[in-house]
Amino acid sequence: MFENIIELTRKKIASHTWTHPDLTTLNDTAIYSELKKTEEAIENIIGLRPAYMRPPYGSYNANVSAVAASLNEDVVIWNFDSQDWNVPANESIARYDAFLATNPSTVLALNHETYNTSAHVVLPYALKLLKSKGYKLVTVAECLGGQPYLKPRWRWPVNPTKLKCT
């Protein structure tokens, strides 16, 4: 996924589930499976486990939060949806203009970089606009005063001299 470790310093990866279900419709075991599969895949690719997860559709409840917490993941929800998945780029841009005209103290935007217009039209516009209005662009972890990743789980082979099994 990443060409080198330097790329990781600019991008932060969070969890978003394995099959994109509405987690509030699942039991705890199914929620755990969705989060765990994704966590393991991310760790296998980048060697790190995400500390944050964004539930599909922004749909969560106490069960979702509890299961995420059991994996040491915090649930993160946005306060602005650009609707880039649902409307043309010019409408997403207009939504940014309208939202930022209200002078919110914090902007945690939902965007989908999987859409070409989001990545190449909406986001560059939004970043320029946010900077021009004096917002400081930070990661979720920086905003919350946390770390973006959790400690990796033990992997084999482990150096036997480090073990205390007596």
Side-chain angles (χ1 to χ4, degrees):
M1 181 173 215
F2 294 100
E3 292 184 34
N4 57 50
I5 197 69
I6 295 169
E7 189 72 5
L8 262 181
T9 63
R10 294 192 310 238
K11 295 183 176 151
K12 303 301 179 217
I13 307 297
S15 180
H16 189 54
T17 71
W18 193 251
T19 64
H20 208 262
D22 177 343
L23 294 174
T24 64
T25 67
L26 304 180
N27 65 32
D28 290 358
T29 302
I31 296 168
Y32 182 88
S33 177
E34 284 287 330
L35 298 180
K36 187 68 175 164
K37 278 183 180 178
T38 307
E39 176 188 277
E40 288 173 351
I42 292 169
E43 186 176 14
N44 286 337
I45 294 167
I46 69 171
L48 300 165
R49 295 183 304 129
Y52 302 100
M53 68 85 55
R54 176 174 60 89
Y57 320 107
S59 183
Y60 71 103
N61 57 20
N63 288 349
V64 173
S65 296
V67 173
S70 77
L71 292 166
N72 296 311
E73 292 181 11
D74 290 321
V75 175
V76 176
I77 299 295
W78 55 93
N79 68 344
F80 170 71
D81 183 353
S82 71
Q83 291 285 309
D84 62 336
W85 56 275
N86 192 38
V87 299
N90 64 326
E91 289 184 39
S92 288
I93 287 171
R95 289 181 57 80
Y96 265 103
D97 289 336
F99 183 68
L100 292 177
T102 68
N103 298 313
S105 61
T106 302
V107 178
L108 183 53
L110 174 64
N111 294 285
H112 298 80
E113 72 287 344
T114 55
Y115 293 97
N116 192 42
T117 55
S118 294
H120 299 287
V121 178
V122 176
L123 287 176
Y125 176 85
L127 294 174
K128 185 177 177 182
L129 180 63
L130 287 161
K131 288 178 185 177
S132 76
K133 290 192 170 277
Y135 288 94
K136 180 180 178 186
L137 305 180
V138 298
T139 66
V140 168
E142 289 172 304
C143 185
L144 297 175
Q147 295 297 317
Y149 301 108
L150 304 169
K151 290 182 181 179
R153 300 197 191 282
W154 282 95
R155 292 181 181 259
W156 297 102
V158 172
N159 181 342
T161 62
K162 304 264 184 199
L163 299 175
K164 308 259 191 244
C165 300
T166 57

